[in-house]
Amino acid sequence: MNPLPVTDADLNAYADGQLATSRVAAVEEALAHDPALADSVAAVRRHNAALRDALDPWLEEQIPERLIAAAAGPAHAAQPGARRWVMSALAAAATLLLGLSIGWYARDVDLERDGTPTTFTRQAALTHALYAGDVNRPVEVWAPEEKRLVTWLSKRLGFPVNAPDLNGTGFALVGGRLVAGHENPTALFMYENADKQRLSLQVRKQRVEGGEVAFRYAIENGVGVFYWIEDNCSYALSGNLDRGQLLSVGRVVYGQLAALDAAHGK
Amino acid sequence: MSVATDAPLPQPDLLAAIPRLRRYARVLTGDVNRADDLVQDTLARAWEKRRLWTAGTDLRAWLFTIMHNVFVNQRALARRDQMHVSLDDGEGGEAWQIPVHAGQYTRVELTELVTHVGRLPVDQREVLVLAAVEELKYEEIAQVLEIPLGTVMSRLSRARAKLRLAFADGPVATPLKVVK
């Protein structure tokens, strides 16, 4: 049998692991007899590996919120194709129209008081869905390095944060990460129970005049979110749990933070 | 209490696809900000067309196809700048910054390799990255880019020939050589 001559396409396919099995023997024989061909296959494989090495870390980068919103559809997204300056202009115009001088956070909180879904809970739910759904890499720093995690997040947020201990509710700390917020970065702590259900607690600074918002509950795209604002910090606890379960975990979180504040003499 | 009244999450999990879309967009545009604009436009199109996606098929390939079309259309509209990628300096360079990591290759080597990839014409660059990094099947690449399979193979050959030339005696060509 006279096999077809080995082509460049064969070599590429062989190096990429895509060669039809019927051609493999012919290519391997050619490689065995021609060191130059073998070199070129080896170079392709090295370049593939190096390119993946180089570009894979991009996958770990923090995702801008406008893209998270765009993935959830037009109800959540800015106008398709709208660019940052357009959005800022719209934001400025809307702020003027609403006669608000304290910015978008306050506007969100006001809307929330009217019972409208807010960007805050929506983002908390979307962020939760994004990272809780990532089986292998839900967090950037894992629980065994909790101390480093807390130090890092406190530094980035500009105030001390802690990962509450939820072991009593069956949820163990998985770890945490920094995520984008509107104006301020947000700390995210991820927890998981024996059934592999995940919860996330998100904390960020929140400039609100008038201070506090009691426990609120919302369902966003199937994710339950409990949130509250206290001491200029907003907290959002998100998970695919029912309201009662989520609320009981929320109370534990709230209680621990209050105890911590008391200990610090607030 | 507020209960969202919107439709539930789309069938295709667009959120989970964002990191790969951003990476591919950066390969196409060579610019972080333009890449994210492209991703945003792609997500908007994907949302509109979400019912056309066949559940169970490769979502990545479907989204890359949409992104490719959005990119090509935008490029046609903006012929003036030819989407020329400036990778050596200025804004564009940011797109190609290689994070520090402990792999087989040094950061310098990887940066050099990626810079060379960035200098390839965009039609060769996209085939190369889809094959080497995303590891799509050649047939899928042909569908994504709406070109014949033979064209995929010839662009891939040309891209790789250029890289080999660039690294004929460069560091990435011989990472395993032990110098005593």
Side-chain angles (χ1 to χ4, degrees), chain A residues 51-240:
Chain A
L51 261 181
R52 285 193 293 268
D53 259 13
L55 304 190
D56 278 353
W58 289 355
L59 299 177
E60 310 291 333
E61 286 179 12
Q62 197 172 306
I63 298 171
E65 292 212 3
R66 65 175 171 130
L67 299 185
I68 295 178
H76 304 286
Q79 288 299 315
R83 300 297 179 238
R84 275 165 301 282
W85 70 268
V86 179
M87 290 191 279
S88 329
L90 286 174
T95 305
L96 284 175
L97 282 173
L98 287 165
L100 291 173
S101 56
I102 48 177
W104 284 95
Y105 279 133
R107 177 175 166 272
D108 291 342
V109 170
D110 274 355
L111 285 176
E112 179 54 33
R113 286 184 182 132
D114 296 332
T116 314
T118 69
T119 40
F120 176 26
T121 53
R122 192 157 62 227
Q123 277 162 359
L126 289 170
T127 306
H128 171 81
L130 178 70
Y131 291 117
D134 192 330
V135 176
N136 295 319
R137 206 176 166 90
V139 297
E140 208 164 331
V141 178
W142 298 82
E145 295 192 83
E146 185 180 346
K147 202 170 165 200
R148 187 166 77 85
L149 170 68
V150 165
T151 309
W152 168 55
L153 291 175
S154 299
K155 197 170 152 209
R156 293 301 306 272
L157 266 63
F159 64 95
V161 287
N162 279 292
D165 179 350
L166 302 182
N167 288 313
T169 64
F171 283 92
L173 183 69
V174 176
R177 69 192 320 146
L178 192 70
V179 297
H182 259 321
E183 295 175 58
N184 298 313
T186 300
L188 181 148
F189 296 107
M190 183 80 67
Y191 296 84
E192 195 179 64
N193 69 6
D195 296 326
K196 300 282 174 204
Q197 285 178 304
R198 283 176 173 172
L199 276 181
S200 69
L201 176 69
Q202 295 175 53
V203 185
R204 72 179 180 215
K205 220 172 208 134
Q206 180 97 24
R207 283 188 293 112
V208 180
E209 290 193 1
E212 313 211 334
V213 172
F215 263 141
R216 298 275 177 138
Y217 178 67
I219 298 174
E220 298 280 356
N221 288 323
V223 177
V225 184
F226 252 105
Y227 71 101
W228 65 98
I229 298 173
E230 198 183 37
D231 276 332
N232 292 320
C233 288
S234 63
Y235 300 88
L237 183 71
S238 319
N240 293 80

Side-chain angles (χ1 to χ4, degrees), chain A residues 30-52:
Chain A
L31 294 180
H33 290 100
D34 187 342
L37 286 187
D39 272 359
S40 102
V41 166
V44 166
R45 288 189 166 156
R46 275 199 305 276
H47 290 161
N48 282 0
L51 261 181
R52 285 193 293 268

Side-chain angles (χ1 to χ4, degrees), chain B residues 141-152:
Chain B
I141 298 174
Q143 280 172 19
V144 166
L145 303 176
E146 293 170 317
I147 53 177
L149 188 58
T151 310
V152 171

Side-chain angles (χ1 to χ4, degrees), chain B residues 76-113:
Chain B
L77 289 174
R79 267 294 167 207
R80 51 184 175 79
D81 68 0
Q82 294 286 310
M83 285 288 173
H84 177 71
V85 180
S86 150
L87 298 164
D88 300 326
D89 48 28
E91 275 186 288
E94 198 191 336
W96 299 96
Q97 273 177 16
I98 306 304
V100 186
H101 69 115
Q104 188 184 2
Y105 305 92
T106 68
R107 185 179 168 158
V108 172
E109 288 171 331
L110 293 182
T111 304
E112 202 182 336
L113 175 68

Side-chain angles (χ1 to χ4, degrees), chain A residues 8-19 36 39-41 43-64 66-84 87 112 115-118 121 126-127 129-130 216-221 243, chain B residues 1-10 14-16 18-20 22-23 26-27 32-34 36-41 43-44 47-48 50 74 94-99 101 103-105 110-111 113-114 117 128-129 131-139 141 153 156-158 160 163-164 167 172-176:
Chain A
D8 218 24
D10 285 329
L11 294 175
N12 275 310
Y14 183 75
D16 286 330
Q18 296 199 32
L19 189 64
D39 272 359
S40 102
V41 166
V44 166
R45 288 189 166 156
R46 275 199 305 276
H47 290 161
N48 282 0
L51 261 181
R52 285 193 293 268
D53 259 13
L55 304 190
D56 278 353
W58 289 355
L59 299 177
E60 310 291 333
E61 286 179 12
Q62 197 172 306
I63 298 171
R66 65 175 171 130
L67 299 185
I68 295 178
H76 304 286
Q79 288 299 315
R83 300 297 179 238
R84 275 165 301 282
M87 290 191 279
E112 179 54 33
T116 314
T118 69
T121 53
L126 289 170
T127 306
L130 178 70
R216 298 275 177 138
Y217 178 67
I219 298 174
E220 298 280 356
N221 288 323
R243 190 175 193 276
Chain B
M1 181 199 300
S2 71
V3 175
T5 51
D6 311 76
L9 274 177
L14 299 181
L15 263 178
I18 293 177
R20 280 173 191 280
R22 292 185 81 205
R23 174 164 76 177
R26 222 181 277 189
V27 167
V32 174
N33 292 324
R34 272 206 306 211
D36 281 346
D37 286 345
L38 177 59
V39 173
Q40 191 172 344
D41 293 343
L43 289 169
W47 174 269
E48 288 165 19
R50 65 194 184 282
Q74 288 179 351
E94 198 191 336
W96 299 96
Q97 273 177 16
I98 306 304
H101 69 115
Q104 188 184 2
Y105 305 92
L110 293 182
T111 304
L113 175 68
V114 168
V117 172
L128 178 68
V129 169
V133 180
E134 295 297 340
E135 299 179 90
L136 291 190
K137 298 267 168 245
Y138 299 147
E139 292 80 6
I141 298 174
M153 300 315 294
L156 192 56
S157 283
R158 269 176 289 161
R160 283 177 166 159
L163 285 192
R164 267 214 94 186
F167 293 101
V172 176
T174 54
L176 299 174

